[in-house]
Amino acid sequence: MDSSEWDARYAASTELVWTAEPNRFVVEAIADLPPGDALDLAAGEGRNAVWLAGRGWRVTAVDFSPVAVARGREPAARRGVPVDWRVGDVTADAPEPGRYDLVLVAYLHLPPAALATVLAGARDALRPGGTVVVVGHDRANLEGGVGGPREPAILLTPEEVTAGLDGLRVRRAETARRPVTVDGDTVDALDTVVVATRAA
């Protein structure tokens, strides 16, 4: 799916396509970290970026959809939190090395080579002591969960993500259950969650 398709998807909805609340696994991973400089890659409508900014992080949020970036500016302005919004292709524009205390990659689903490029850029963008958090639909979700893409090649596994973060200390790498409501019933989606840090 290219940026024009995502633009159309966002533009077709008068409301946020995704919830305004931050992802539960992002909250778990980041809640105890002291605020610093954060980079949210493929930020979409910015739910995690806005939450981070509200907690005192200096956030740069990047997405290739101009409509998504415009959508993200609205809740940030309502909450009075500053976010540096940028339209960019995270598969082509590598972040500045050693620049960030936190890099977030949430629900970015790409072919393996492109994902490896993004993960390497995220790893290299960390300062000493910095943390990278990767969350996305797990490949096991195809058979054991609900929602998400149906193409196995673009779904995540903890093993593949950690391999793409070679050289970092892995603090968490698992397939985790995320309760969601479908037609009034609570069911589970299965997500890959990886948290890793660069040595101080």
Side-chain angles (χ1 to χ4, degrees), residues 1-198:
M1 186 175 279
D2 62 23
S3 61
S4 62
E5 291 177 275
W6 277 105
D7 280 342
R9 181 173 183 179
Y10 288 123
S13 176
T14 57
E15 303 293 331
L16 291 174
V17 172
W18 317 112
T19 175
E21 296 303 312
N23 174 265
R24 63 185 295 148
F25 300 122
V26 172
V27 172
E28 290 173 9
I30 294 169
D32 294 331
L33 296 179
D37 293 306
L39 175 63
D40 187 353
L41 294 172
E45 297 165 301
R47 62 182 180 138
N48 295 310
V50 172
W51 177 77
L52 284 166
R55 293 180 61 84
W57 289 83
R58 295 175 296 275
V59 184
T60 300
V62 182
D63 198 275
F64 72 168
S65 167
V67 176
V69 169
R71 286 281 182 91
R73 287 191 173 103
E74 295 170 10
R78 281 196 304 272
R79 297 184 191 187
V81 294
V83 176
D84 180 8
W85 301 99
R86 299 183 185 179
V87 176
D89 182 351
V90 300
T91 67
D93 305 322
E96 180 182 344
R99 168 71 175 79
Y100 296 97
D101 302 293
L102 171 68
V103 179
L104 173 61
V105 184
Y107 299 95
L108 176 62
H109 294 277
L110 298 168
L115 180 63
T117 297
V118 173
L119 292 177
R123 176 196 64 206
D124 294 345
L126 291 178
R127 289 177 175 147
T131 299
V132 62
V133 178
V134 181
V135 180
H137 299 288
D138 193 279
R139 196 165 296 145
N141 196 59
L142 285 172
E143 301 296 332
V146 297
R150 310 314 292 171
E151 302 169 53
I154 65 171
L155 294 172
L156 307 181
T157 68
E159 295 78 14
E160 290 171 357
V161 172
T162 55
L165 299 173
D166 184 50
L168 301 184
R169 181 172 65 86
V170 176
R171 293 169 36 208
R172 180 179 183 182
E174 66 176 300
T175 299
R177 294 187 176 275
R178 175 172 48 88
V180 296
T181 302
V182 178
D183 298 328
D185 295 324
T186 300
V187 293
D188 286 336
L190 300 178
D191 287 346
T192 289
V193 181
V194 175
V195 181
T197 57
R198 179 177 292 284

